[in-house]
């Protein structure tokens, strides 16, 4: 970084080092906190869904207690996923043009369709088939508004005979199988939005979609662990330790793969040291120290790897209480680490000039559309929606059928 | 099997709705394609884009860094105040190597205070230590494989048949993807219109037979402009191509810039 930093700085803009193109010398990054949240939330959706599919498609029985919670988590977050994208547009009122007159070479345009497909064809339908029998039952036992609500959810289909339920189960299974590639597609595309920008050496990278998918799985499973533990704590219910152990086992292996791919990416970058590597290196070292070295790598990856890894080896010897705390800590750290990773990609990619001769420093605002408050609100929103969902669809007061059996009498 | 039927009903109703949505979107796309021909481009009625191939070329040897072009562009195109430029000028100063350093060259310093609009201050490298110093006017490179067109989700940025790359401000949703995708920093999001903007070769002028504002004011003819389809007598553009070996910026990215530069150094990007 010898020559770029010592370059003359355009006057009056002290937060730039070296030379940046005049149009890049803005006070705020073009894509800000909202665009950090967008891949984060989408990733949580994809991850939570894949977590649920472990039960449904891969028949991991131990995870059944979290199946519905994971599905509802995916749904709640999916509803919020397009919001940050929408709010950051210069002309949000024209957003439907993306769906109506899409320009098909644009990854962003394709995202609209992938999103709609995923929401309508996969998640909504699968949830409905999962819950249909419960809706019918609940609508009979629940009085008042709630009962009406459940009746509405049945959409008039009230047949709960054995063949009907079997069919539900089958369709649900098919949807789940279709859902897995869809989840990969959904988040792979988000990665591609960045990976396709060849102008930016930090983003333009064939590994980007894969890194995004892997980190999405990690963050989604971590979110399910987090939600499950919080929900049990709120409801004062005992945790199913077996389920938790298995969840965290998957979390660990996903994290291992994720860390390996991201490590490979770095090794490749360092070894090939292509044009722009100098400035990237400088940026990673100076501008992203806290979020990259500390947040993403140390707290978000190494510590959870250590915690979860040691539990894989010593699970039996660690008492439940300590194990629970270690799981919780790992889940929470991973959630933060992946958020930091999104930050590093999105903001990091905009802290150096495409002239490769300088770096920028931004000061984030607190208020305003792209400020911290907005970010916090958008991050909170899916949790609020999820709380409502849990109240309606995971109510403790209602009898719930084992979600994944066609019918007790007809279990496969 | 009444319920199976009703569920099938439901599914088929759903798929009809989905098909309807897709059909509507196809219809809208077709309409948009038609609209595109009449896209709000600032060209006068009767202008036929198929009859022209506009080009700009830069002879950096001639540029004296006066900044008149950048200033004229701001005025002509109502470019917002502050750090927003459709065209700007960079100054490159390549120092002599330190004696005994064993290097061929010293450091390269680049600057563009206010886009070079008001000229340039005295160099901080003393004259005696400068090996080379030159100015490079920058503008949209009118890429043939323009990444900005490729990534625009609604097709608001488009290739016009006359060799320009334009933005329809009535269509742009202001997502900024094109700004990220342009490797040359040519685009900005206008704080006024909240849409993407960049150099259009002064489309409203050239389609009326005038030259772009920057070409008009350049005192040294560092900016060369013309129409490849309709060369004039002693066409400056043809002469430029004839007399110079040229370079394009960042050729390794495969964007195929149509703006060629003569007289620039490897440090320019
Ligand atoms: S220079 Fe930038 S804005 Fe101009 S056509 Fe190329 S990519 Fe697009
Ligand atoms: S900012 Fe406008 S022109 Fe640029 S990609 Fe988005 S919609 Fe297209």
């Amino acid at each position: 970084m010898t020559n770029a930093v010592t370059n003359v700085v355009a006057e009056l803009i002290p937060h730039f080092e070296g030379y940046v193109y005049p149009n890049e010398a803005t006070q705020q990054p073009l894509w800000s906190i909202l665009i950090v949240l967008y891949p984060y939330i989408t990733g949580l959706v994809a991850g939570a869904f894949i977590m649920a599919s472990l039960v449904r498609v891969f028949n991991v029985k131990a995870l059944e207690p979290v199946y519905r919670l994971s599905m509802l988590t995916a749904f709640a977050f999916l509803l919020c996923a397009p919001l940050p994208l929408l709010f950051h547009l210069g002309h949000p009122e024209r957003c439907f043009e993306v769906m109506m007159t899409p320009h098909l070479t644009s990854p962003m345009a394709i995202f609209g369709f992938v999103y709609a497909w995923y929401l309508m064809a996969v998640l909504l339908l699968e949830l409905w088939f999962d819950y249909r029998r419960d809706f019918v039952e609940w609508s009979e036992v629940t009085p008042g508004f709630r009962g009406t609500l459940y009746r509405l959810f049945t959409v008039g289909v009230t047949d709960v005979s054995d063949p009907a339920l079997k069919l539900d189960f089958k369709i649900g299974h098919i949807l789940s199988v279709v859902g897995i590639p869809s989840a990969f597609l959904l988040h792979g595309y988000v990665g591609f939005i960045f990976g396709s920008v060849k102008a930016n050496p930090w983003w333009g990278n064939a590994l980007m979609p894969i890194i995004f998918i892997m980190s999405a799985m990690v963050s989604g499973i971590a979110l399910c662990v987090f939600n499950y533990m919080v929900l049990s704590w709120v409801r004062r219910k005992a945790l199913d330790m077996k389920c938790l152990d298995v969840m965290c086992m998957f979390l660990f292996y996903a994290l291992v793969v994720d860390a390996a791919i991201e490590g490979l990416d770095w090794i490749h970058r360092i070894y090939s040291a292509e044009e722009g590597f100098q400035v990237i290196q400088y940026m990673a070292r100076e501008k992203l120290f806290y979020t990259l070295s500390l947040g993403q790598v140390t707290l978000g990856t190494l510590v959870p790897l250590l915690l979860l890894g040691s539990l894989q080896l010593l699970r039996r010897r660690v008492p439940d209480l300590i194990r629970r705390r270690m799981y919780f800590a790992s889940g929470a750290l991973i959630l933060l680490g992946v958020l930091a990773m999104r930050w590093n990609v999105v903001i990091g990619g905009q802290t150096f000039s495409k002239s490769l001769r300088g770096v920028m420093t931004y000061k984030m605002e607190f208020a305003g559309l792209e400020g911290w408050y907005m970010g916090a609100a958008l991050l909170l929103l899916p949790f609020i929606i999820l709380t409502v969902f849990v109240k309606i669809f995971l109510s403790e007061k209602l009898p719930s059928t084992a979600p994944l059996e066609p019918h007790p009498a007809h279990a496969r | 099997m009444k319920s199976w039927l009703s569920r099938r009903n439901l599914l088929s109703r759903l798929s009809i709705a989905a098909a309807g949505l897709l059909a509507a979107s196809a219809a809208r796309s077709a309409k948009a394609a038609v609209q595109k021909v009449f896209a709000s481009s600032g060209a006068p009625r009767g202008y036929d884009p198929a009859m022209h191939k506009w080009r700009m070329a830069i002879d950096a040897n001639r540029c004296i860094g006066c900044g008149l072009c950048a200033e004229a562009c701001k005025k002509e195109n109502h470019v917002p105040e502050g750090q927003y430029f459709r065209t700007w000028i960079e100054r490159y100063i390549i120092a002599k190597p330190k004696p005994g350093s064993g290097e061929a060259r010293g450091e390269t310093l680049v600057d563009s205070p206010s886009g070079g609009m008001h000229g340039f201050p005295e160099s901080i490298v003393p004259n005696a230590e400068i090996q080379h110093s030159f100015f490079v006017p920058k503008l949209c490179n009118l890429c043939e494989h323009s990444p900005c067109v490729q990534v625009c989700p609604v097709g608001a940025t488009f290739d016009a048949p006359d060799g320009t790359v334009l933005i329809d401000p009535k269509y742009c949703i202001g997502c900024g993807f094109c700004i990220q995708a342009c490797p040359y920093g040519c685009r900005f999001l206008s704080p006024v219109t909240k849409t993407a903007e960049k150099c259009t070769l002064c489309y409203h002028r050239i389609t009326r037979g005038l030259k772009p504002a920057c070409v008009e004011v350049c005192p040294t003819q560092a900016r060369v402009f013309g129409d490849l389809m309709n060369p004039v007598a002693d066409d400056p553009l043809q002469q430029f191509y004839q007399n110079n070996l040229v370079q394009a910026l960042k050729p390794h990215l495969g964007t195929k810039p149509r703006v060629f530069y003569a007289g620039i150094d490897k440090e320019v990007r």
Side-chain angles (χ1 to χ4, degrees), chain A residues 6-7 94 106 159 168 354, chain B residues 3 7 107-108 151 172 250:
Chain A
T6 47
N7 278 346
R94 297 182 189 164
S106 167
D159 180 1
D168 280 355
K354 281 183 270 188
Chain B
S3 86
R7 236 167 320 149
E107 269 185 60
T108 304
V151 301
C172 171
K250 301 190 184 183

Side-chain angles (χ1 to χ4, degrees), chain B residues 80 91 124 145 186 212 219 224 246:
Chain B
R91 173 171 67 177
I124 57 163
H145 294 165
C186 295
V224 188
V246 295

Side-chain angles (χ1 to χ4, degrees), chain A residues 5-312:
Chain A
V5 188
T6 47
N7 278 346
V8 182
V9 176
E11 342 136 274
L12 299 179
I13 10 178
H15 57 302
F16 302 102
E17 291 170 52
Y19 175 67
V20 310
Y21 290 132
N23 285 331
E24 292 175 326
T26 49
Q27 297 293 323
Q28 297 294 317
L30 179 66
W31 285 356
S32 190
I33 182 91
L34 293 181
I35 303 294
V36 174
L37 289 181
Y38 157 68
Y40 185 56
I41 295 179
T42 328
L44 292 172
V45 176
F49 182 83
I50 288 183
M51 164 87 208
S53 318
L54 285 174
V55 186
R56 186 122 217 183
V57 181
F58 300 103
N59 232 337
V60 185
K61 284 269 183 295
L63 293 181
E64 258 169 34
V66 286
Y67 171 76
R68 282 193 162 175
L69 183 62
S70 322
M71 285 295 282
L72 292 176
T73 303
F75 189 40
F77 278 76
L78 189 66
L79 288 180
C80 302
L83 291 183
L85 203 54
L86 186 67
F87 288 153
H88 114 281
L89 292 184
H91 284 271
E93 80 282 1
R94 297 182 189 164
C95 69
F96 285 107
E97 298 295 353
V98 178
M99 301 287 282
M100 290 302 157
T101 58
H103 182 235
L104 296 178
T105 58
S106 167
M108 208 182 268
I110 301 301
F111 173 80
F113 291 101
V114 176
Y115 176 83
W117 161 260
Y118 193 72
L119 175 68
M120 304 293 177
V122 179
L123 260 187
L124 259 184
L125 271 188
E126 186 172 341
L127 272 169
W128 187 72
F129 279 109
D130 270 347
Y131 269 102
R132 209 180 58 80
R133 179 162 106 200
D134 287 338
F135 286 155
V136 175
E137 260 164 43
W138 294 346
S139 66
E140 278 155 15
V141 297
T142 328
F145 173 69
R146 262 192 133 168
T148 320
L149 206 61
Y150 292 134
R151 201 158 309 124
L152 274 179
F153 288 146
T154 63
V155 214
V157 186
T158 50
D159 180 1
V160 285
S161 64
D162 287 351
L165 290 181
K166 256 197 175 145
L167 194 71
D168 280 355
F169 181 74
K170 215 190 254 159
I171 296 180
H173 186 80
I174 294 173
L175 283 174
S176 204
V177 172
V178 176
I180 294 176
S182 304
F184 279 139
L185 195 67
L186 178 75
H187 205 62
Y189 243 112
V190 177
F192 189 66
I193 288 184
F194 298 98
S196 63
V197 179
K198 65 182 171 189
N200 188 321
W202 181 239
W203 291 348
N205 179 345
L207 272 182
M208 207 51 122
I210 300 173
I211 292 176
F212 266 66
I213 288 175
M214 279 321 298
S215 58
M217 276 171 66
V218 170
S219 65
I221 301 177
L223 180 66
C224 293
V225 171
F226 181 84
N227 283 352
Y228 180 51
M229 296 187 84
V230 170
L231 185 65
S232 308
W233 179 76
V234 169
R235 291 188 164 170
R236 313 247 169 264
K237 280 225 288 230
L239 280 163
D240 181 338
M241 277 316 274
K242 176 116 193 301
C243 170
L244 202 58
D245 283 337
V246 175
M247 252 204 286
C248 289
M249 180 188 78
F250 280 108
L251 182 57
F252 173 68
Y253 289 117
L255 189 60
V256 168
V257 178
D258 181 39
I261 296 181
E262 290 195 36
L264 272 178
D265 178 38
W266 267 105
I267 291 173
H268 176 84
R269 281 175 196 274
I270 293 170
Y271 194 83
S272 59
E274 289 175 18
E275 186 194 27
F277 176 67
Q278 262 197 342
V279 75
I280 286 182
Q281 197 184 21
Y282 177 80
M283 172 204 71
R285 214 183 278 147
E286 305 285 320
K287 302 274 156 194
L288 298 179
F289 175 78
Y290 289 106
T291 48
L292 185 72
S293 311
L294 204 67
Q296 185 185 339
V297 178
T298 311
L299 293 178
T301 311
L302 294 180
V303 174
L305 268 181
L306 211 71
L307 287 177
L308 294 173
S310 57
L311 284 182
Q312 296 310 307

